[in-house]
Amino acid sequence: DTVHSPVVILGTGLAGYGLAKEFRKHDTDTPLILITSDDGRSYSKPMLSTGYTKDTSTDDLAQLDAGSMGRMLKASVWTMTRVSAIDTENQLIKVGDAETAVHYGKLVLALGADVIRPPIEGDGLDKVYSVNDLLDYDDFRTAMKKNDVKKVCLIGGGLIGCEYTNDLINGGFQTETVDPLGYCLPTLLPEPAGKAVQAALEEQGAKFHFGPLVTEVNKADIGVEVKLNNGETIVADLVVSAVGVRPRVELAQASGIETNRGVVTNRLLETSAPNVYAMGDCAEVAGHVLVYVAPLMAQARALGKTLAGEPTEVSYPAMPVTIKVPACPVTVAPPPAGVEGEWSFEIDGHNVKAEFRDASGALLGFALTGEATRHKMALQKELPAIMA
Ligand code: FAD
């Protein structure tokens, strides 16, 4: 019967655990099960790219283990358990070898996003790391020590590539960063702001290769040789790939739930299947795929109420993103895709104040670097909500 059917949440990242906390504020009785393919430790994912700057080990980053989280949330947390299929008609999920089936009253997909793996050839791919969760972080830190790494080649000059470049510089490592586009954070920032970040990082010793693609990573006498399609070769001890993430949609897709760039939901976070919801990095909410913490917190607050019997639509205020590049701090609220308008710039060294306004003068986006980040509050107030 539906009264005692459990709420089941797939995923124990900031989305899954965040939702569980919000749900328990409104409902302390309904059985709650969280299922995760990892070890279920809670941690703040944004800290994965500040490890050398703040000298944090994997254990420092892990906050509570699955057992403690379960007690705190009055929930059972199943770790190292991969969900392989969802039977949306009978409201069953199949776990692991699919011999075990669990019935749900309500199901929430909080499955996160996978790293995109660029097509790279060569015999040195075992030296290419991506850091997208706590277990990856541990592997990466171990490899850095074991290989006595002095120099790292980074693939990607976007958010994670630039954060890692700065973090590794702060850790005393040499870096060479490759991106096919023209400057730092090319998909988030207008050119003068991206160039300011680049110049600030270069002053601290970072080296950039803008324009080429990485085609091969091969074993060398020590470390690896990274081949670019402009004929250049970078010699490094280890490679970090950071070219972006893609919502995990495979499980939903295979279960007949509508997907697009992410798992498609409305503003109630309902998917196309009855009693199945999606949130966090895996979700596409009313057309928006936003792989950041602020949106998933807004989703958790709304869905926590909805699951407790008070249907609540999610709304998004303006949510500027802060990028952790201490050499040149960045705050950006990109204008919505496709809107008409123009950038204007105030540039003073590494300090760039960029505003994107439409013909009537209304502010639609901004990008701030260096000391210009002090204008964040004022500009944020002037921005329209992403989803009122
Ligand atoms: P995840 O944390 O990825 O959780 C997904 C969960 O699903 C995991 O528990 C996983 O085990 C589980 N899972 C997946 N598949 C299955 C399956 N088949 N069966 C069972 N379980 C499964 N955002 C910001 O706003 N500010 C920042 O400064 C910032 N910095 C970042 C730095 C880095 C290095 C990275 C990688 C991201 C950063 N982000 C930042 C993004 C932010 O961390 C993410 O948006 C957020 O953590 C996503 O949380 P999530 O719970 O949706 O996904």
Side-chain angles (χ1 to χ4, degrees):
D1 59 314
T2 47
V3 184
H4 294 291
S5 292
V7 167
V8 177
I9 302 174
L10 306 187
T12 56
L14 291 172
Y17 276 144
L19 171 64
K21 281 180 208 158
E22 290 296 326
F23 175 62
R24 279 293 184 237
K25 288 182 187 170
H26 310 291
D27 180 328
T28 50
D29 297 329
T30 302
L32 179 61
I33 301 172
L34 291 105
I35 302 179
T36 176
S37 52
D38 64 22
D39 61 13
R41 283 187 286 180
S42 76
Y43 71 103
S44 173
K45 186 176 272 204
M47 305 281 284
L48 294 179
S49 50
T50 58
Y52 288 104
T53 305
K54 297 186 175 160
D55 193 20
T56 37
S57 69
T58 310
D59 286 340
D60 294 335
L61 284 195
Q63 289 152 355
L64 291 174
D65 64 17
S68 311
M69 289 303 291
R71 281 189 293 282
M72 189 180 93
L73 295 165
K74 213 179 145 196
S76 70
V77 183
W78 302 3
T79 59
M80 300 298 178
T81 307
R82 180 162 288 277
V83 172
S84 49
I86 305 166
D87 172 351
T88 58
E89 204 166 313
N90 299 305
Q91 302 201 175
L92 293 172
I93 56 171
K94 305 214 170 110
V95 169
D97 55 11
E99 299 282 305
T100 317
V102 183
H103 184 257
Y104 60 84
K106 311 260 182 210
L107 176 67
V108 181
L109 309 181
L111 298 166
D114 266 323
V115 293
I116 297 171
R117 292 182 200 283
I120 296 173
E121 316 223 348
D123 63 9
L125 297 181
D126 60 326
K127 290 271 168 70
V128 180
Y129 288 78
S130 305
V131 186
N132 191 38
D133 59 34
L134 206 53
L135 300 172
D136 291 345
Y137 183 82
D138 204 42
D139 287 347
F140 167 68
R141 302 270 297 192
T142 305
M144 289 287 285
K145 270 213 186 102
K146 200 181 91 197
N147 293 290
D148 190 20
V149 169
K150 307 256 180 325
K151 183 167 159 193
V152 178
C153 173
L154 294 112
I155 307 176
L159 186 147
I160 294 176
C162 282
E163 289 191 351
Y164 257 89
T165 297
N166 203 150
D167 192 49
L168 288 163
I169 295 268
N170 287 351
F173 302 99
Q174 289 173 273
T175 63
E176 293 200 36
T177 304
V178 186
D179 194 292
L181 299 179
Y183 50 87
C184 286
L185 302 156
T187 60
L188 284 169
L189 296 184
E191 183 162 346
K195 288 253 158 94
V197 175
Q198 178 184 345
L201 284 168
E202 282 170 347
E203 270 172 29
Q204 303 212 351
K207 201 169 163 195
F208 289 98
H209 302 257
F210 287 116
L213 285 166
V214 171
T215 54
E216 285 181 40
V217 176
N218 291 304
K219 284 199 178 80
D221 292 344
I222 355 168
V224 288
E225 274 181 11
V226 180
K227 267 200 190 164
L228 313 186
N229 69 351
N230 62 0
E232 284 181 60
T233 298
I234 298 169
V235 178
D237 301 304
L238 193 139
V239 180
V240 170
S241 173
V243 302
V245 295
R246 187 184 289 133
R248 289 196 177 107
V249 298
E250 295 75 12
L251 178 61
Q253 220 167 32
S255 312
I257 296 169
E258 189 188 347
T259 64
N260 184 35
R261 282 185 300 146
V263 181
V264 171
T265 81
N266 59 16
R267 289 183 59 172
L268 286 169
L269 304 169
E270 295 168 332
T271 68
S272 63
N275 296 315
V276 182
Y277 301 79
M279 65 171 300
D281 279 6
C282 71
E284 178 173 329
V285 179
H288 298 275
V289 175
L290 296 169
V291 290
Y292 302 106
V293 176
L296 70 80
M297 306 271 278
Q299 293 161 9
R301 286 190 295 270
L303 188 52
K305 286 188 190 156
T306 300
L307 294 178
E310 186 192 330
T312 305
E313 291 195 334
V314 67
S315 34
Y316 292 151
M319 295 179 286
V321 177
T322 295
I323 299 160
K324 301 181 294 295
V325 185
C328 182
V330 178
T331 297
V332 57
V339 296
E340 298 270 322
E342 253 179 73
W343 284 105
S344 67
F345 300 98
E346 282 173 38
I347 303 172
D348 170 19
H350 299 330
N351 314 313
V352 176
K353 183 184 186 199
E355 300 179 356
F356 187 92
R357 294 181 183 274
D358 68 11
S360 72
L363 185 72
L364 297 176
F366 63 79
L368 305 169
T369 67
E371 287 167 18
T373 50
R374 70 176 189 276
H375 300 292
K376 177 191 163 190
M377 290 303 263
L379 290 176
Q380 184 172 352
K381 273 194 201 137
E382 208 185 316
L383 269 187
I386 294 175
M387 207 161 69

